[in-house]
Amino acid sequence: MLVLVAPGQGAQTPGFLTPWLDLPGVEDRLRALSAAIGLDLVHYGTKADADEIRDTAVAQPLLVAAGLVSATALGEVSPGAVAGHSVGEITAAVLAGVLDDTDALRLVRKRGLAMAEAAAITATGMAALLGGDPDTTVAHLEKLGLTPANVNGAGQIVAAGTLEQIAALEADKPEGVRRVVALKVAGAFHTEHMAPAVDALAEAARELTPADPKLTYISNKDGKAVATGAEVLDRLVGQVANPVRWDLCMETFKELGVTALLEVCPGGTLTGLAKRALPGVKTLALKTPDDLDAARELIAAASDSAAGAAGAHA
């Protein structure tokens, strides 16, 4: 069984969309989406520098657009499940048929603007902690007033809070943690600091009419499959100010019998976590169109494996 996953903020790098524009129809699609949201996705994906695309209001729609064009480039694919990390959940919602491209980009544009506005209220940030016992780490973070904003599994937790709290963490690491790595994001996402963004996103969501997922859609909130479009949308709104539980998503992948994981552009982060947390699962990250042939082979192999398993149980 194949799961298709979409990365979150921080996965973007300068110029990462450039090679994708060589594919037929990609630039036209990006320009149409750019016009719909008032943001030049082609410029930001090809010519903008690291600081420009670090801006939350830019990074989020750019990531969703990149995930969608790379998924389309795969051709016909029917994964057994889809999931996304943080803003990648909006990409996953399109892949599952809950939202169309334009509605998703309009929603993520408002999400990015609202989160950027919330982040401007207080100087905040995020840092990844590598290694250590999860329970010990979470207790230490709470002692420092920090939130375990992303519980990613595979020995990684991302802390979020004020810059002073992040500095205190760097000076006083939890027992067993090897490294504390500051992330290139502009705020304490998935914490109480994002509460002002929830109302703005809820207002934007009320303008949408979501469809029920056509594929198994796995939520960051608790790793559970969500059956209705209304609940997907409700969770997308609330998730802005609540922790991402990617560890529970990966537990669900195990329970579903996932044998292959394919991460859409700009892939790498979730593939890396899966390699450590899901031994035996084949993984592939879509970075450039050069990865498409290998991705299609992975899809075909997963489809053959699923068909064989179904035949064995018939």
Side-chain angles (χ1 to χ4, degrees), residues 117-140:
E117 189 173 325
I121 296 170
T122 306
T124 56
M126 303 178 80
L129 290 83
L130 307 179
D133 174 73
D135 291 339
T136 301
T137 296
V138 168
H140 189 86

Side-chain angles (χ1 to χ4, degrees), residues 85-86 134 138 148-153 190 218-224 239 242-252:
H85 190 286
S86 187
V138 168
N150 300 167
V151 183
N152 287 333
H190 302 290
I218 299 168
S219 168
N220 278 183
K221 180 178 181 178
D222 49 16
K224 299 288 178 61
Q239 199 62 30
N242 286 283
V244 169
R245 294 301 306 267
W246 191 251
D247 60 331
L248 298 180
C249 292
M250 291 197 291
E251 286 299 319
T252 299

Side-chain angles (χ1 to χ4, degrees), residues 78-124:
S78 297
V82 294
H85 190 286
S86 187
V87 72
E89 286 202 291
I90 295 180
T91 312
V94 179
L95 299 176
V98 175
L99 298 172
D100 66 25
D101 286 15
T102 304
D103 281 347
L105 264 292
R106 285 176 176 152
L107 181 65
V108 75
R109 175 64 166 154
K110 290 173 182 175
R111 183 186 194 269
L113 288 167
M115 291 175 72
E117 189 173 325
I121 296 170
T122 306
T124 56

